[in-house]
PDB file of all heavy atoms in Angstrom:
ATOM      1  N   ASP A  88     -20.372  12.236  14.225  1.00  0.00           N
ATOM      2  CA  ASP A  88     -19.315  12.993  14.910  1.00  0.00           C
ATOM      3  C   ASP A  88     -17.931  12.394  14.483  1.00  0.00           C
ATOM      4  O   ASP A  88     -16.936  13.142  14.319  1.00  0.00           O
ATOM      5  CB  ASP A  88     -19.367  13.128  16.366  1.00  0.00           C
ATOM      6  CG  ASP A  88     -19.518  11.797  17.099  1.00  0.00           C
ATOM      7  OD1 ASP A  88     -19.877  10.789  16.469  1.00  0.00           O
ATOM      8  OD2 ASP A  88     -19.228  11.792  18.281  1.00  0.00           O
ATOM      9  N   PHE A  89     -17.850  11.069  14.244  1.00  0.00           N
ATOM     10  CA  PHE A  89     -16.615  10.476  13.772  1.00  0.00           C
ATOM     11  C   PHE A  89     -16.390  10.829  12.318  1.00  0.00           C
ATOM     12  O   PHE A  89     -15.255  11.179  11.963  1.00  0.00           O
ATOM     13  CB  PHE A  89     -16.656   8.947  13.932  1.00  0.00           C
ATOM     14  CG  PHE A  89     -16.233   8.445  15.211  1.00  0.00           C
ATOM     15  CD1 PHE A  89     -16.780   8.867  16.419  1.00  0.00           C
ATOM     16  CD2 PHE A  89     -15.115   7.554  15.294  1.00  0.00           C
ATOM     17  CE1 PHE A  89     -16.316   8.376  17.672  1.00  0.00           C
ATOM     18  CE2 PHE A  89     -14.718   7.044  16.507  1.00  0.00           C
ATOM     19  CZ  PHE A  89     -15.245   7.521  17.695  1.00  0.00           C
ATOM     20  N   LYS A  90     -17.434  10.921  11.479  1.00  0.00           N
ATOM     21  CA  LYS A  90     -17.280  11.374  10.171  1.00  0.00           C
ATOM     22  C   LYS A  90     -16.785  12.820  10.094  1.00  0.00           C
ATOM     23  O   LYS A  90     -15.903  13.177   9.311  1.00  0.00           O
ATOM     24  CB  LYS A  90     -18.594  11.225   9.361  1.00  0.00           C
ATOM     25  CG  LYS A  90     -18.921   9.715   9.099  1.00  0.00           C
ATOM     26  CD  LYS A  90     -20.112   9.578   8.256  1.00  0.00           C
ATOM     27  CE  LYS A  90     -20.480   8.154   8.036  1.00  0.00           C
ATOM     28  NZ  LYS A  90     -19.515   7.309   7.277  1.00  0.00           N
ATOM     29  N   TYR A  91     -17.328  13.643  10.973  1.00  0.00           N
ATOM     30  CA  TYR A  91     -16.808  14.966  11.179  1.00  0.00           C
ATOM     31  C   TYR A  91     -15.360  15.072  11.469  1.00  0.00           C
ATOM     32  O   TYR A  91     -14.571  15.762  10.894  1.00  0.00           O
ATOM     33  CB  TYR A  91     -17.663  15.735  12.194  1.00  0.00           C
ATOM     34  CG  TYR A  91     -17.258  17.181  12.478  1.00  0.00           C
ATOM     35  CD1 TYR A  91     -17.849  18.218  11.732  1.00  0.00           C
ATOM     36  CD2 TYR A  91     -16.271  17.397  13.450  1.00  0.00           C
ATOM     37  CE1 TYR A  91     -17.450  19.513  12.067  1.00  0.00           C
ATOM     38  CE2 TYR A  91     -15.957  18.694  13.733  1.00  0.00           C
ATOM     39  CZ  TYR A  91     -16.470  19.766  13.033  1.00  0.00           C
ATOM     40  OH  TYR A  91     -16.082  21.021  13.396  1.00  0.00           O
ATOM     41  N   ALA A  92     -15.000  14.230  12.490  1.00  0.00           N
ATOM     42  CA  ALA A  92     -13.610  14.211  12.985  1.00  0.00           C
ATOM     43  C   ALA A  92     -12.619  13.799  11.900  1.00  0.00           C
ATOM     44  O   ALA A  92     -11.513  14.276  11.867  1.00  0.00           O
ATOM     45  CB  ALA A  92     -13.462  13.276  14.208  1.00  0.00           C
ATOM     46  N   LEU A  93     -13.082  12.995  10.985  1.00  0.00           N
ATOM     47  CA  LEU A  93     -12.169  12.434   9.928  1.00  0.00           C
ATOM     48  C   LEU A  93     -12.403  13.134   8.577  1.00  0.00           C
ATOM     49  O   LEU A  93     -11.778  12.765   7.640  1.00  0.00           O
ATOM     50  CB  LEU A  93     -12.419  10.899   9.779  1.00  0.00           C
ATOM     51  CG  LEU A  93     -12.194  10.118  11.058  1.00  0.00           C
ATOM     52  CD1 LEU A  93     -12.635   8.674  10.863  1.00  0.00           C
ATOM     53  CD2 LEU A  93     -10.715  10.157  11.398  1.00  0.00           C
ATOM     54  N   ALA A  94     -13.252  14.156   8.589  1.00  0.00           N
ATOM     55  CA  ALA A  94     -13.576  14.880   7.388  1.00  0.00           C
ATOM     56  C   ALA A  94     -14.034  14.005   6.233  1.00  0.00           C
ATOM     57  O   ALA A  94     -13.607  14.075   5.100  1.00  0.00           O
ATOM     58  CB  ALA A  94     -12.360  15.717   6.857  1.00  0.00           C
ATOM     59  N   LEU A  95     -15.021  13.171   6.602  1.00  0.00           N
ATOM     60  CA  LEU A  95     -15.591  12.217   5.683  1.00  0.00           C
ATOM     61  C   LEU A  95     -16.978  12.687   5.222  1.00  0.00           C
ATOM     62  O   LEU A  95     -17.699  13.299   5.991  1.00  0.00           O
ATOM     63  CB  LEU A  95     -15.744  10.837   6.254  1.00  0.00           C
ATOM     64  CG  LEU A  95     -14.385  10.143   6.713  1.00  0.00           C
ATOM     65  CD1 LEU A  95     -14.700   8.816   7.476  1.00  0.00           C
ATOM     66  CD2 LEU A  95     -13.496   9.895   5.528  1.00  0.00           C
ATOM     67  N   GLU A  96     -17.403  12.292   3.977  1.00  0.00           N
ATOM     68  CA  GLU A  96     -18.745  12.472   3.520  1.00  0.00           C
ATOM     69  C   GLU A  96     -19.641  11.596   4.382  1.00  0.00           C
ATOM     70  O   GLU A  96     -19.237  10.571   4.885  1.00  0.00           O
ATOM     71  CB  GLU A  96     -18.878  12.076   2.049  1.00  0.00           C
ATOM     72  CG  GLU A  96     -18.030  12.971   1.174  1.00  0.00           C
ATOM     73  CD  GLU A  96     -18.617  14.384   0.918  1.00  0.00           C
ATOM     74  OE1 GLU A  96     -19.763  14.667   1.383  1.00  0.00           O
ATOM     75  OE2 GLU A  96     -17.923  15.236   0.409  1.00  0.00           O
ATOM     76  N   LEU A  97     -20.868  11.933   4.517  1.00  0.00           N
ATOM     77  CA  LEU A  97     -21.862  11.134   5.327  1.00  0.00           C
ATOM     78  C   LEU A  97     -22.094   9.767   4.830  1.00  0.00           C
ATOM     79  O   LEU A  97     -22.359   8.892   5.552  1.00  0.00           O
ATOM     80  CB  LEU A  97     -23.261  11.951   5.400  1.00  0.00           C
ATOM     81  CG  LEU A  97     -23.169  13.222   6.194  1.00  0.00           C
ATOM     82  CD1 LEU A  97     -24.504  13.925   6.082  1.00  0.00           C
ATOM     83  CD2 LEU A  97     -22.800  12.953   7.623  1.00  0.00           C
ATOM     84  N   ASP A  98     -21.898   9.567   3.522  1.00  0.00           N
ATOM     85  CA  ASP A  98     -22.112   8.266   2.969  1.00  0.00           C
ATOM     86  C   ASP A  98     -20.810   7.427   2.861  1.00  0.00           C
ATOM     87  O   ASP A  98     -20.760   6.384   2.209  1.00  0.00           O
ATOM     88  CB  ASP A  98     -22.811   8.281   1.592  1.00  0.00           C
ATOM     89  CG  ASP A  98     -21.992   9.102   0.578  1.00  0.00           C
ATOM     90  OD1 ASP A  98     -20.903   9.702   0.894  1.00  0.00           O
ATOM     91  OD2 ASP A  98     -22.419   9.109  -0.676  1.00  0.00           O
ATOM     92  N   ASP A  99     -19.722   7.868   3.513  1.00  0.00           N
ATOM     93  CA  ASP A  99     -18.463   7.150   3.423  1.00  0.00           C
ATOM     94  C   ASP A  99     -18.685   5.721   4.121  1.00  0.00           C
ATOM     95  O   ASP A  99     -19.189   5.723   5.196  1.00  0.00           O
ATOM     96  CB  ASP A  99     -17.327   7.911   4.122  1.00  0.00           C
ATOM     97  CG  ASP A  99     -15.977   7.234   3.871  1.00  0.00           C
ATOM     98  OD1 ASP A  99     -15.682   6.299   4.498  1.00  0.00           O
ATOM     99  OD2 ASP A  99     -15.197   7.796   3.072  1.00  0.00           O
ATOM    100  N   PRO A 100     -18.259   4.716   3.451  1.00  0.00           N
ATOM    101  CA  PRO A 100     -18.490   3.334   3.972  1.00  0.00           C
ATOM    102  C   PRO A 100     -17.561   2.885   5.112  1.00  0.00           C
ATOM    103  O   PRO A 100     -17.743   1.885   5.725  1.00  0.00           O
ATOM    104  CB  PRO A 100     -18.338   2.467   2.801  1.00  0.00           C
ATOM    105  CG  PRO A 100     -17.354   3.138   1.955  1.00  0.00           C
ATOM    106  CD  PRO A 100     -17.638   4.623   2.098  1.00  0.00           C
TER     107      PRO A 100
END
Side-chain angles (χ1 to χ4, degrees):
D88 60 335
F89 271 58
K90 290 186 183 291
Y91 176 92
L93 300 171
L95 298 174
E96 296 287 348
L97 292 174
D98 62 352
D99 189 285

